[in-house]
Amino acid sequence: MKRQISQRDLARLAGVSPMTVSLALRGHPSISTETRARITSLAGKHHYRPDPALAALNAWRIKDSAARFQGTLAWVTSFATRDAWRDMIQTKGYHQGACARADQLGYRIEEFWINEPGLTPKRATQILLARGVRGLVIAPLPEAHGRIDLDWEHFSAVALGYSLAEPKLHVVMNHQFRNMKQVVERLHGLGYRRIGFAMPSANDERVDHNYLGGFWIAQQALAQPGATTGGAAGKTKATGEGGGEGQLPTLLAERFDQETFLPWFRQAKPDAIVVAASTAHQVRDWLKEQGLRVPRDVGLAVASVPWQDTTISGIDEDVPAIGAHAVETVVGMIHRNEQGVPPRPLSLLVEGIWAAGKTVRKIR
């Protein structure tokens, strides 16, 4: 049986040290592009495969030790101004988690504003490469169907969420569809039967309509006789109340304000409303102005609890963990020498957990 080629064998064939081979195969910026390409080509030609036992041993050896500096990752934003992304509370949490995990792995994260006036895709690529950046975390974009132009073949990249339409990269995000289903099921388990859905249309569009899809599927399932919901709230059998009269008209508004929300609320008469994280406190204030108290008169829940908010009921996606997983994905790609737009993009979707909050109550 033919012996598998090792990194030491590759070093002899390439005329470099074993350390250079190791760094090159991990895409380390200290190794020139030409040398990395030559070593990668040799590895492919001779069918080199990493030894999983040695990789596991190495991971065990370094997990509790201070990580040596490995390189720089870029946090790429695409808003109208350099710091506008900081107005998105969840994105700030993603960034914090990304920075913390990068530091643990020996990387640092630099912010990179792709919409800098006069910055062309070619110039942006040159700047990133000059800074030794090989990995990119694409922050959520301000609108759906976004596009970012770079010479992607130089970078290992992952997108946070679905707002980036072109190119189609690997995605890391909370499981928006299942999180929304869980919200509806939890509300039903608490006794709510007229569950409404009201949010800006842009919010649902930015998540590829996973919110509306999850809401509809959950409502349809609860409309089936004998369906049960449960969790911490306890199991409840649906008797058809979740469907029929309980299926209310949804509100997806391009302009989401009081003038749009209140007529819908008066017509639909929901006993609980699923809203966007960014509008939850606003909606609660609108209801208060109408003499309605949350949760005494109406429940309020979200599919993604605002970062560091302990008031709003809904799904805790562990916001910093999403950013941390994005960094782990990019670093893994760097180590495997995977650059460019993937032929088959993968999605890492993180399940959330129910956070009781203070805006719903058990009513049955």
Side-chain angles (χ1 to χ4, degrees):
M1 182 171 162
K2 188 175 181 181
R3 182 178 68 88
Q4 183 170 316
I5 193 168
S6 68
Q7 287 192 7
R8 190 170 295 277
D9 296 326
L10 288 176
R12 284 196 295 268
L13 290 170
V16 298
S17 69
M19 178 58 72
T20 297
V21 170
S22 176
L23 292 172
L25 292 176
R26 288 186 281 127
H28 198 280
S30 65
I31 308 301
S32 70
T33 302
E34 294 76 13
T35 300
R36 287 206 313 273
R38 183 162 57 90
I39 292 173
T40 302
S41 176
L42 280 170
K45 179 180 178 181
H46 293 278
H47 305 290
Y48 166 76
R49 296 291 183 271
D51 186 320
L54 289 177
L57 176 61
N58 188 53
W60 176 82
R61 288 173 57 196
I62 67 174
K63 72 174 183 177
D64 293 325
S65 61
R68 292 176 297 174
F69 179 68
Q70 301 290 324
T72 303
L73 309 177
W75 174 264
V76 180
T77 64
S78 183
F79 283 71
T81 60
R82 185 183 301 276
D83 293 320
W85 67 271
R86 298 181 187 278
D87 294 332
M88 299 179 71
I89 185 64
Q90 306 298 72
T91 303
K92 288 174 65 177
Y94 300 148
H95 181 257
Q96 183 186 89
C99 289
R101 188 60 178 137
D103 183 66
Q104 292 171 348
L105 296 175
Y107 289 80
R108 68 165 176 260
I109 287 188
E110 292 184 355
E111 295 175 30
F112 190 82
W113 182 35
I114 201 72
N115 285 344
E116 180 91 43
L119 187 65
T120 65
K122 181 178 180 179
R123 181 58 181 151
T125 300
Q126 291 172 340
I127 292 172
L128 288 167
L129 293 177
R131 294 178 181 176
V133 172
R134 294 297 183 271
L136 310 179
V137 177
I138 311 301
L141 275 56
E143 298 177 353
H145 314 302
R147 179 186 180 94
I148 292 179
D149 292 315
L150 284 171
D151 293 335
W152 293 98
E153 64 269 19
H154 298 291
F155 305 106
S156 303
V158 65
L160 283 166
Y162 299 101
S163 52
L164 178 69
E166 290 294 335
K168 294 190 182 301
L169 304 176
H170 298 313
V171 167
V172 175
M173 187 43 60
N174 65 83
H175 204 317
Q176 296 145 345
F177 183 90
R178 287 177 59 86
N179 287 355
M180 179 59 78
K181 279 184 74 235
Q182 186 181 167
V183 169
V184 176
E185 291 163 359
R186 288 282 183 163
L187 291 174
H188 192 277
L190 289 168
Y192 293 102
R193 292 298 180 267
R194 296 184 60 81
I195 303 171
F197 179 100
M199 66 177 60
S201 56
N203 288 57
D204 185 56
E205 193 171 5
R206 290 181 69 253
V207 301
D208 199 27
H209 306 291
N210 277 307
Y211 284 159
L212 186 58
F215 181 83
W216 275 351
I217 291 297
Q219 288 283 64
Q220 290 295 321
L222 291 174
Q224 303 302 315
T228 59
T229 60
K235 288 195 173 182
T236 303
K237 178 174 284 190
T239 61
E241 295 174 280
E245 179 190 2
Q247 292 182 348
L248 311 183
T250 56
L251 174 63
L252 280 170
E254 186 173 340
R255 190 185 71 174
F256 191 80
D257 54 21
Q258 265 185 301
E259 288 69 30
T260 304
F261 173 78
L262 291 177
W264 169 84
F265 178 79
R266 296 186 186 107
Q267 177 192 4
K269 298 181 175 61
D271 56 11
I273 315 169
V274 182
V275 298
S278 59
T279 63
H281 288 280
Q282 192 176 39
V283 169
R284 186 171 62 174
D285 291 342
W286 294 342
L287 293 170
K288 184 178 180 180
E289 291 173 11
Q290 301 301 306
L292 299 170
R293 289 193 297 179
V294 174
R296 187 195 68 179
D297 302 309
V298 60
L300 210 61
V302 297
S304 178
V305 173
W307 183 46
Q308 298 180 322
D309 190 316
T310 58
T311 303
I312 303 299
S313 304
I315 303 300
D316 176 12
E317 62 174 284
D318 192 353
V319 175
I322 304 296
H325 287 309
V327 165
E328 290 168 354
T329 302
V330 169
V331 170
M333 293 171 67
I334 291 172
H335 289 178
R336 296 188 298 272
N337 206 31
E338 297 173 2
Q339 290 98 27
V341 178
R344 288 177 180 260
L346 305 177
S347 295
L348 173 60
L349 304 178
V350 182
E351 297 272 352
I353 61 173
W354 175 255
K358 301 176 182 178
T359 57
V360 299
R361 64 187 180 92
K362 190 169 181 62
I363 64 174
R364 300 190 189 197

